[in-house]
Amino acid sequence: MDDACKKCGGAMKPGKAIAQTYSAGTPDFPGDRHGMTCSPGGPGKLVDCLKCEACGWSVAALEPVAQGGE
């Protein structure tokens, strides 16, 4: 794992973020039974991330990250 922020070079630390969730939209055209346009919506989802101590930029963690010295 690379511990440096890609934006500023600061240290990346474990954190939490709210990921966008989507709600099912409506058919693109009247009578459609397949494609729909999905829209941002719903409650969001709390996910693990890595956050830069210096600038606050964050990236989603691909694996759960240890919190608080675990």
Side-chain angles (χ1 to χ4, degrees):
M1 176 179 85
D2 187 6
D3 291 335
C5 176
K6 303 279 191 240
K7 298 253 181 200
C8 76
M12 299 295 282
K13 299 293 184 181
K16 295 286 185 180
I18 299 175
Q20 180 69 63
T21 55
Y22 295 89
S23 59
T26 57
D28 289 335
F29 301 101
D32 269 358
R33 294 179 187 228
H34 51 289
M36 287 190 175
T37 299
C38 292
S39 302
K45 180 180 177 184
L46 193 63
V47 296
D48 289 327
C49 72
L50 295 172
K51 184 173 279 292
C52 177
E53 282 187 319
C55 73
W57 186 67
S58 62
V59 293
L62 298 178
E63 297 177 4
V65 293
Q67 302 283 328
E70 292 176 19

